[in-house]
Amino acid sequence: MLVTTEKSGPVLLTLDGAYTKHNFENNLPFLSFDPEMAAKSIGHLKELIQKIHPKVIFFGHDNKQASKGRTFPDFL
């Protein structure tokens, strides 16, 4: 999901497409009923990043990233 805010600009939320930065960078899809489709989703996210150049990529379940991230209302 791609959202844009006044302060942050484009922000890509990978949701379940890439659970963590490690999964994303190493093309490791999370457990799925269709691992091939999950791997393609990571590829699509990478294509979107090259096209849109989001300022922030937020991984859906990356606790390490979440502990360091800004939250509402800082992202408005």
Side-chain angles (χ1 to χ4, degrees):
M1 175 183 295
L2 184 66
V3 297
T4 302
T5 70
E6 288 181 23
K7 288 184 181 180
S8 301
V11 176
L12 179 63
L13 308 172
T14 66
L15 305 171
D16 287 347
Y19 263 41
T20 66
K21 185 175 182 179
H22 176 78
N23 290 102
F24 179 77
E25 290 179 342
N26 295 288
N27 296 317
L28 299 170
F30 189 72
L31 298 176
S32 169
F33 71 94
D34 189 339
E36 185 177 334
M37 184 176 17
K40 285 181 182 179
S41 293
I42 291 174
H44 290 301
L45 288 169
K46 289 183 177 189
E47 290 173 9
L48 183 62
I49 289 166
Q50 292 301 313
K51 184 177 178 180
I52 304 295
H53 304 286
K55 293 186 177 184
V56 177
I57 302 168
F58 192 82
F59 300 97
H61 301 274
D62 195 320
N63 291 333
K64 183 176 178 183
Q65 181 189 35
S67 70
K68 298 176 184 176
R70 294 181 293 158
T71 58
F72 181 83
D74 296 332
F75 258 112
L76 291 178

